[in-house]
């Protein structure tokens, strides 16, 4: 069985929802479908929550009324029979009354998570009703019945597998299984969400739990490209990536995929395929555990990076220095992207400067601190094992006319990264494309 995940834009209009139904039924084989909320819905639900936090029920009701108008039009265009129009309208009215009930009670973050979860609940119900109206054997499985996080807010893999396996056994023989992406329950049974990776994460977790043959992530672009198509002309889709290569690209700027969401699939050995709903016959990008030797695959860039350098003669041969530095970043929950060290100094980059001033003040206890803002990390991904003589030279040659603040190489077999000024990003990406991919 394949798992097929569709994002908000893929189900954002009646026409697109109909297209998705054709994609999931065309092979006449059992599939497991994961759906996001319709595009724009989650933002509206968050807006409702913001009004309720501010004790403004009138503002919240105004947004709910706009959602009601949007969904009623969607229902009118999606269904062809009065039976399913009315069935879905009755469900929608129940949902809207549920949302309106929050305007009368105390509102906290617990209620907010329940409100935000309704977007996926609405889209999946509408989709299953459309499939049933068209005589497809579809069943809706609530993600809240099997998707759970533990006390560390990480997916509870054992629980998910056991619960979903039992649910699938009780629902054997259907053609299309549908569930909600993103939403779950936490370790205390409260409605919550998966945060990182959202619906993609759900698809990967489901695929691993049911031992799917493939997990498909459907978006509106043709897989991962070998460079940023918004910046560089003539980019091409990469047809195959190792899971580690895909994670590197996702972390360093390829927005099509979140770096953590494919981990369950990687550990289960299940390939992930990125597909384009606008061009369903295009091969897309396959992500698996196969390393293609001797090939550089792609380039990505991560913006809004800040570089911090601490220089101290006391660091020379001083044990515990780096530990003290890292503890400062940890205390402010600020992750480090890149790091370079010398005998008298250490440079680090971060992408979250919310606590920059506090971090710098703390670091000044141990040395002289300098900060460079408006930086960018450019990451070259492929088979960059150190035994591949000359591969790092290809990347550095492409950067020979770009001022480079830091270089990271050797921490992974799959990337070499350059820290440069944001102003030089376009030139750097274009030069790398010309050198690495246009021969």
């Amino acid at each position: 069985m394949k798992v097929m995940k569709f994002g908000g834009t893929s189900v954002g209009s009646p026409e697109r929802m109909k297209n998705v139904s054709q994609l999931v039924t065309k092979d006449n084989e059992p599939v497991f479908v994961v759906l996001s909320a319709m595009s724009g819905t989650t933002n509206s639900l968050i807006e409702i929550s913001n009004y309720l936090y501010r004790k403004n029920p009138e503002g919240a009701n105004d947004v709910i009324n706009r959602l009601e108008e949007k969904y009623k039009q969607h229902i009118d265009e999606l269904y062809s029979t009065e039976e399913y129009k009315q069935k879905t309208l009755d469900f929608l009215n129940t949902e809207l009354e549920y949302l309106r009930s929050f305007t009368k009670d105390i509102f906290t973050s617990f209620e907010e998570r329940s409100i935000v979860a309704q977007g996926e609940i609405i889209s999946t119900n509408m989709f299953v009703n459309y499939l049933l109206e068209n005589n497809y054997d579809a069943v809706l499985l609530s993600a809240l019945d099997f998707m759970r996080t533990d006390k560390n807010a990480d997916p509870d893999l054992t629980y998910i597998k056991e619960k979903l396996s039992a649910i699938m056994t009780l629902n054997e023989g259907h053609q299309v299984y549908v569930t909600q992406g993103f939403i779950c329950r936490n370790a205390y049974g409260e409605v919550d969400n998966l945060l990182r990776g959202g619906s993609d994460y759900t698809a990967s977790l489901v695929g691993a739990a049911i031992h799917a043959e493939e997990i498909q992530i459907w978006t509106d672009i043709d897989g991962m490209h070998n460079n940023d198509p918004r910046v560089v002309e003539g980019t091409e889709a990469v047809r195959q990536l190792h899971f580690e290569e895909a994670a590197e690209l996702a972390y360093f700027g390829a927005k099509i995929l979140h770096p953590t969401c494919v981990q369950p699939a990687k550990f289960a050995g299940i390939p992930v395929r990125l597909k384009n709903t606008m061009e369903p016959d295009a091969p897309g990008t396959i992500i698996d555990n196969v390393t293609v030797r001797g090939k550089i695959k792609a380039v990505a860039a991560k913006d809004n990076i800040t570089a911090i350098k601490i220089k101290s003669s006391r660091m020379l041969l001083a044990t515990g220095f780096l530990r003290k530095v890292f503890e400062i970043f940890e205390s402010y929950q600020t992750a480090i992207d890149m790091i370079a060290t010398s005998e008298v100094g250490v440079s680090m980059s971060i992408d979250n400067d919310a606590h920059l001033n506090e971090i710098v003040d703390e670091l000044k206890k141990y040395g002289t601190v300098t900060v460079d803002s408006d930086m960018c990390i450019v990451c070259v991904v492929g088979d960059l094992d150190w035994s591949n003589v000359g591969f790092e030279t290809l990347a550095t040659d492409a950067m020979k006319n770009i001022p480079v603040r830091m270089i990271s190489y050797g921490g992974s077999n799959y990337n070499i990264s350059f820290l440069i000024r944001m102003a030089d990003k376009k030139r750097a990406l274009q030069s790398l494309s010309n050198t690495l991919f246009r021969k």
Side-chain angles (χ1 to χ4, degrees):
M1 182 183 293
K2 292 178 180 176
V3 174
M4 304 174 73
K5 175 265 174 179
F6 296 90
T9 56
S10 296
V11 292
S13 70
E15 193 61 37
R16 289 197 170 186
M17 195 171 276
K18 291 176 183 178
N19 290 340
V20 169
S21 74
Q22 293 173 1
L23 289 172
V24 304
T25 58
K26 72 172 186 175
D27 292 333
N28 203 28
E29 296 178 354
V31 294
F32 199 116
V33 180
V34 177
L35 293 186
S36 298
M38 285 172 52
S39 55
T41 298
T42 301
N43 288 339
S44 294
L45 295 172
I46 291 172
E47 187 179 1
I48 291 168
S49 300
N50 288 338
Y51 277 120
L52 294 176
Y53 272 126
R54 290 161 178 76
K55 297 181 171 52
N56 184 350
E58 292 82 6
N61 277 315
D62 185 56
V63 180
I64 294 171
N65 291 339
R66 293 201 303 270
L67 265 183
E68 179 178 18
E69 183 179 351
K70 171 184 174 180
Y71 274 109
K72 283 186 174 179
Q73 182 178 352
H74 194 108
I75 289 169
D76 190 55
E77 295 176 18
L78 182 61
Y79 304 101
S80 57
T81 65
E82 287 303 318
E83 176 190 357
Y84 276 92
K85 282 185 181 180
Q86 192 58 52
K87 181 179 180 179
T88 312
L89 276 173
D90 290 343
F91 161 76
L92 178 65
N93 288 332
T94 301
E95 281 291 300
L96 293 170
E97 284 306 307
Y98 178 68
L99 292 177
R100 291 187 176 106
S101 71
F102 290 100
T103 64
K104 304 163 189 172
D105 298 317
I106 296 172
F107 193 77
T108 69
S109 60
F110 300 112
E111 285 76 24
E112 179 184 12
R113 289 195 289 268
S114 293
I115 283 180
V116 172
Q118 301 314 305
E120 281 75 14
I121 291 172
I122 293 172
S123 66
T124 49
N125 273 271
M126 290 179 67
F127 184 67
V128 168
N129 282 348
Y130 178 76
L131 290 174
L132 293 172
E133 182 187 48
N134 287 275
N135 299 314
Y136 292 110
D137 182 11
V139 62
L140 177 60
L141 308 179
S142 174
L144 299 179
D145 290 340
F146 63 86
M147 194 62 63
R148 188 176 79 171
T149 54
D150 58 23
K151 291 182 179 179
N152 297 317
D154 293 320
D156 189 336
L157 301 180
T158 301
Y159 178 94
I160 293 167
K161 183 174 182 178
E162 290 177 354
K163 283 291 184 181
L164 184 54
S165 296
I167 290 170
M168 293 295 285
T169 299
L170 290 172
N171 291 275
E172 281 185 309
H174 294 285
Q175 181 182 355
V176 184
Y177 298 84
V178 181
T179 197
Q180 300 88 13
F182 181 59
I183 68 174
C184 65
R185 292 191 187 275
N186 60 28
Y188 310 100
E190 302 156 342
V191 175
D192 212 323
N193 56 69
L194 294 172
L195 296 177
R196 300 161 297 181
S199 297
D200 291 350
Y201 210 177
T202 301
S204 188
L205 290 163
V206 167
I210 67 171
H211 303 290
E213 61 180 277
E214 184 175 282
I215 299 164
Q216 297 180 350
I217 308 294
W218 290 79
T219 64
D220 53 2
I221 54 177
D222 184 20
M224 280 196 178
H225 278 229
N226 60 7
N227 211 324
D228 189 340
R230 298 165 299 180
V231 179
V232 176
E233 295 181 0
T235 64
E236 297 178 352
V238 181
R239 295 307 175 199
Q240 187 274 341
L241 289 167
H242 188 279
F243 278 113
E244 295 292 340
E245 293 171 337
E248 295 280 7
L249 289 171
Y251 183 77
F252 285 105
K255 302 298 184 185
I256 190 173
L257 201 65
H258 192 281
T260 61
C261 74
V262 294
Q263 294 303 313
K266 172 190 172 184
F267 296 137
I270 299 170
V272 176
R273 190 181 296 274
L274 308 179
K275 297 279 285 180
N276 185 356
T277 52
M278 308 302 175
E279 297 180 46
D281 295 328
T285 299
I286 188 78
I287 304 169
D288 52 29
N289 279 316
V290 177
T291 298
V292 178
R293 295 296 177 190
K295 187 172 182 180
I296 293 178
K297 300 286 188 66
V299 176
K302 190 175 186 181
D303 298 340
N304 302 313
I305 301 296
T306 300
I308 303 170
K309 180 170 70 174
I310 174 170
K311 183 178 178 182
S312 172
S313 58
R314 291 179 292 165
M315 179 184 173
L316 184 63
L317 301 179
T319 59
F321 180 85
L322 285 177
R323 175 180 55 80
K324 294 173 184 176
V325 169
F326 291 147
E327 283 177 347
I328 292 171
F329 286 89
E330 182 183 5
S331 67
Y332 290 102
Q333 296 184 313
T334 301
I336 296 171
D337 289 315
M338 292 174 62
I339 183 167
T341 64
S342 73
E343 288 186 340
V344 294
V346 55
S347 289
M348 296 146 292
S349 70
I350 59 174
D351 64 359
N352 176 9
D353 62 1
H355 298 287
L356 178 62
N357 292 335
E358 296 98 316
I359 290 170
V360 170
D361 285 342
E362 294 273 357
L363 290 174
K364 284 180 178 177
K365 297 176 183 176
Y366 303 106
T368 304
V369 181
T370 56
V371 176
D372 295 309
S373 302
D374 299 320
M375 306 296 284
C376 166
I377 295 176
V378 172
C379 175
V380 178
V381 168
D383 179 24
L384 286 158
D385 188 277
W386 68 275
S387 61
N388 292 333
V389 178
F391 271 46
E392 74 283 358
T393 306
L394 284 173
T396 53
D397 278 352
M399 300 290 288
K400 63 185 178 183
N401 295 318
I402 309 291
V404 176
R405 169 68 176 77
M406 285 170 60
I407 298 177
S408 176
Y409 176 61
S412 159
N413 288 337
Y414 296 97
N415 94 31
I416 179 170
S417 298
F418 303 88
L419 182 66
I420 63 173
R421 294 179 302 213
M422 285 271 290
D424 295 321
K425 171 184 169 181
K426 181 178 176 64
R427 264 196 319 137
L429 293 183
Q430 189 66 64
S431 180
L432 284 164
S433 267
N434 293 342
T435 303
L436 302 176
F437 308 129
R438 295 176 187 173
K439 298 180 181 178

